[in-house]
Amino acid sequence: MTDLFDPLELRDTTVPNRVMVSPMCQYSCDARDGRATEWHHVHLGSRAVGGAGLVVAEATAVEKRGRITPEDLGIWNDDQADALARTTRFVKEQGAVPGIQLAHAGRKASTSRPWDGSRPLYPDDGGWEVVGPSGDPWPYEDDDGERVDAPPTREMDQGDIEQVIDSFRTAAERARDAGFEVAEVHAAHGYLLHEFLSPVTNHRAGDYGGDFEGRTRLTREVTEAVREVWPDGKPVFVRISGTDWFDDRESWTVEQSARLADRLAGIGADLIDVSSGGIAPGSWPEQAGPNYQLPLAETVRETSESDIAVGTVGGITTPEQAQAVVANDRADLAIVGRQFLRDPYFGLRAADALDATDEVTGPPQYRRGFGF
Ligand code: FNR
């Protein structure tokens, strides 16, 4: 039996336990320049202090137009990478592994922050040109459910596609040089790569549209580009939406997710992080209770032919739940989002609750607060 506080070995990298901090946008780059601030350092650093084995930085834009909001983190230039280096050092000093999610927001780019209404931003209002696999924009609505005007989405041409692949590659090089040890490709939640995967948003003809092969091509080529520059001993993850949650129209399904997992395993991905939804309004589960995405992760794990590792995220809030996911062999990694916002020390608390304090070094400064 595997326990939550058993290490996870991926290539030559040892993640000291099976608790990962899910990437969570902080919308906190003050100068709108994509550079990490004190906020990011403390946010990520605290969760490493708090006992997580793997701390993954938020969706970090590989090119400027790939930000969701002007305040998103970016890694399209060296200054941005330099600003992250002290955080990766600190996370490692705490015994945790630093990871980064590499992202492009596609047609969901150029909005205000959630606490400013997540409204579409026009170029003369601090926004920028939005691109996607096809020309239909995200259907923005106001609080009363009425459609609101949004800037157009431009269908990407071959040059744009090559530029995006190249941006992921150079972003991965910068992330590697900044000290990150896990690169996660963001192919979920209705952002650019998921928009290519799903027939809900991909209406293209040609190489990057149409059938499974065409729709998955960009995600595969991006993962290949990241793998090419990521050190051989270090793992690459891909976060996918396991399903679009639509049964009334052609969409992305868990069966396609398992097929994609096999293809990604074949090009050197090491773990599939299975989330769900986000491709269009209504693309959510009816209920998002405890472990709500675990059946998707299990299906990917059981029905894919490769033995690629699988992580589950969604509705994990207690140590016992995280332990059960791993101990019952339902997934290899328990990925925790909002509970880490409520409790940065969830990892230490879990070690305490599960009697695993021998497995955790923990910061000596906090020893008297916990049982290690
Ligand atoms: C998120 N989520 C998210 N997902 C992702 O892949 N990249 C990201 O940058 C973000 N950003 C983000 C910000 C905030 C504030 C929240 C709450 C969530 C989704 C997140 O990683 C996770 O998948 C979901 O929150 C579900 O897990 P929990 O919260 O139920 O553990």
Side-chain angles (χ1 to χ4, degrees):
M1 184 177 94
T2 306
D3 284 312
L4 191 65
F5 285 89
D6 288 342
L8 175 64
E9 310 280 350
L10 294 165
R11 298 183 178 242
D12 301 337
T13 302
T14 302
V15 181
N17 61 57
R18 309 298 181 107
V19 181
M20 167 174 142
V21 179
S22 203
M24 284 181 284
C25 287
Q26 300 296 296
Y27 314 105
S28 296
C29 296
D30 302 331
R32 301 184 161 197
D33 57 358
R35 269 177 69 98
T37 62
E38 295 300 301
W39 179 269
H40 300 94
H41 186 62
V42 173
H43 167 68
L44 298 167
S46 311
R47 276 124 196 105
V49 169
L54 174 57
V55 179
V56 180
E58 69 193 72
T60 303
V62 299
E63 55 176 43
K64 199 170 181 187
R65 66 183 174 184
R67 292 171 297 168
I68 305 168
T69 79
E71 292 82 7
D72 282 20
L73 212 53
I75 190 152
W76 66 83
N77 67 43
D78 293 343
D79 274 358
Q80 295 161 340
D82 290 348
L84 287 162
R86 70 175 181 135
T87 303
T88 61
R89 264 195 311 275
F90 181 79
V91 167
K92 285 187 240 185
E93 276 166 22
Q94 304 312 312
V97 173
I100 185 168
Q101 190 182 52
L102 301 174
H104 192 301
R107 73 170 186 163
K108 288 169 96 170
S110 191
T111 71
S112 61
R113 295 181 291 196
W115 54 86
D116 294 328
S118 295
R119 57 185 180 80
L121 294 178
Y122 282 84
D124 61 3
D125 188 22
W128 53 88
E129 185 192 48
V130 174
V131 296
S134 304
D136 41 339
W138 176 270
Y140 288 96
E141 293 178 352
D142 64 18
D143 292 342
D144 302 322
E146 297 295 322
R147 276 291 284 274
V148 296
D149 286 340
T153 292
R154 183 171 63 75
E155 178 174 324
M156 290 167 70
D157 61 23
Q158 183 63 27
D160 295 310
I161 288 177
E162 284 165 18
Q163 193 181 321
V164 161
I165 296 169
D166 212 46
S167 299
F168 270 95
R169 181 187 293 107
T170 52
E173 285 173 327
R174 290 193 185 96
R176 175 198 68 199
D177 296 345
F180 287 101
E181 302 199 320
V182 172
E184 174 166 281
V185 173
H186 195 351
H189 301 166
Y191 297 112
L192 185 70
L193 298 183
H194 184 192
E195 288 162 16
F196 273 82
L197 291 174
S198 175
V200 172
T201 40
N202 185 338
H203 312 301
R204 299 173 76 91
D207 287 349
Y208 291 89
D211 59 8
F212 175 86
E213 202 61 22
R215 285 182 283 106
T216 60
R217 191 179 312 280
L218 184 60
T219 297
R220 290 185 285 110
E221 290 183 354
V222 161
T223 306
E224 232 160 17
V226 170
R227 182 72 270 174
E228 261 166 37
V229 299
W230 205 246
D232 275 352
K234 295 186 176 153
V236 171
F237 292 8
V238 182
R239 173 167 278 198
I240 60 168
S241 280
T243 176
D244 286 340
W245 296 107
F246 291 127
D247 46 21
D248 59 346
R249 64 180 114 157
E250 221 203 325
S251 58
W252 183 257
T253 59
V254 72
E255 291 76 20
Q256 294 173 73
S257 294
R259 279 173 73 193
L260 177 62
D262 281 334
R263 298 297 294 276
L264 294 172
I267 54 181
D270 301 286
L271 183 140
I272 305 296
D273 167 352
V274 184
S275 185
S276 73
I279 198 68
S283 170
W284 320 109
E286 298 230 325
Q287 294 270 327
N291 290 350
Y292 68 99
Q293 292 171 149
L294 180 55
L296 299 168
E298 277 183 297
T299 304
V300 169
R301 199 162 179 253
E302 282 162 14
T303 60
S304 59
E305 284 166 18
S306 68
D307 57 1
I308 190 163
V310 168
T312 183
V313 64
I316 299 175
T317 57
T318 70
E320 294 74 16
Q321 223 188 327
Q323 161 72 4
V325 160
V326 173
N328 293 333
D329 203 22
R330 301 181 73 184
D332 302 284
L333 188 62
I335 305 171
V336 177
R338 287 162 296 171
Q339 186 59 26
F340 262 116
L341 299 183
R342 293 184 279 265
D343 179 4
Y345 309 114
F346 176 73
L348 297 179
R349 228 184 277 281
D352 228 357
L354 299 170
D355 240 357
T357 46
D358 288 350
E359 268 71 58
V360 179
T361 328
Q365 295 91 330
Y366 288 4
R367 196 161 283 161
R368 289 173 69 179
F370 293 93
F372 48 81

